[in-house]
Amino acid sequence: MKALFWISATFSKPKYGITFLVAWVVSLGLEFYGRACGFNLTSDSVQYLSAAQSFQSIGKFLGTDGSYNPYWPPLYPIVLSCWENPLNALIWISLASKIVIGLMLLYLADTFLKHDFYRIVFLISSLLSVYMIMISVFVWTELLFTALILLNIFFVLNLHKRYYFLGLVITGFLLCIQRN
């Protein structure tokens, strides 16, 4: 309930709320434009997809050569293995991650920056950064990792509230299996 109040209070400032929405939509637009021909694949991407496929079919994390895949953490392949076509699912995973990232950046801006000008500059520079756009067009773990780390920070900053410790433990665990 308090989260809904916080979001409505944030958007009660028209310049600030509109700027956030425009920056977020432009960020999504650039992401979709950047992968108009599909997701870009690197050697890591191929390993994640291979591990997801093998986990889905035989319950093991195997690389492209059929050997065990000990160099890449398991969370991303597990998430990708939940869908028949992981590349189509990645669009939704990226969108969900961007929603979380956007809301957490908005929360951090509201919490730590006192003037709307600085909040707006922070949000625009964060949402439209090369980092944010580039990690969205590859089959990489960074977008999910960024969403999880920002959620983890949110729970740390709100530990004084009841039950946030559970959120901290869950996101901390997910971060451990997201990164080596």
Side-chain angles (χ1 to χ4, degrees):
M1 190 64 159
K2 285 187 177 188
L4 292 176
F5 175 74
W6 167 72
I7 290 172
S8 66
T10 298
F11 285 101
S12 66
K13 305 172 199 169
K15 286 189 299 186
Y16 184 51
I18 290 171
T19 302
F20 167 75
L21 285 176
V22 168
W24 188 77
V25 168
V26 169
S27 178
L28 281 178
L30 289 170
E31 173 185 336
F32 280 91
Y33 177 76
R35 65 167 191 261
C37 295
F39 281 95
N40 295 318
L41 300 176
T42 62
S43 59
D44 285 350
S45 304
V46 174
Q47 295 297 330
Y48 288 125
L49 292 171
S50 175
Q53 181 184 23
S54 68
F55 185 75
Q56 184 181 50
S57 60
I58 61 173
K60 297 179 182 177
F61 299 106
L62 301 178
T64 54
D65 62 356
S67 64
Y68 282 101
N69 195 353
Y71 302 109
W72 290 271
L75 180 62
Y76 202 55
I78 290 171
V79 170
L80 294 178
S81 72
C82 293
W83 288 273
E84 188 68 31
N85 185 347
L87 291 179
N88 286 340
L90 268 176
I91 294 169
W92 298 105
I93 294 167
S94 294
L95 181 61
S97 295
K98 279 253 176 126
I99 289 170
V100 169
I101 291 168
L103 291 175
M104 292 302 100
L105 289 175
L106 193 60
Y107 174 79
L108 290 174
D110 281 348
T111 302
F112 293 107
L113 302 173
K114 300 300 176 202
H115 299 288
D116 282 346
F117 173 78
Y118 297 117
R119 292 175 180 159
I120 288 170
V121 170
F122 170 74
L123 290 170
I124 290 173
S125 62
S126 297
L127 291 170
L128 298 178
S129 68
V130 172
Y131 171 78
M132 188 62 69
I133 304 305
M134 291 304 296
I135 64 174
S136 303
V137 299
F138 287 93
V139 178
W140 285 346
T141 62
E142 278 78 2
L143 201 60
L144 182 58
F145 177 77
T146 303
L148 286 172
I149 197 77
L150 287 172
L151 275 172
N152 195 263
I153 291 168
F154 171 79
F155 290 125
V156 165
L157 293 173
N158 289 285
L159 273 178
H160 60 280
K161 296 178 184 171
R162 197 170 182 178
Y163 300 112
Y164 278 60
F165 181 73
L166 182 61
L168 177 66
V169 170
I170 291 170
T171 55
F173 171 75
L174 292 174
L175 282 166
C176 286
I177 61 172
Q178 176 65 14
R179 284 281 188 254
N180 286 339

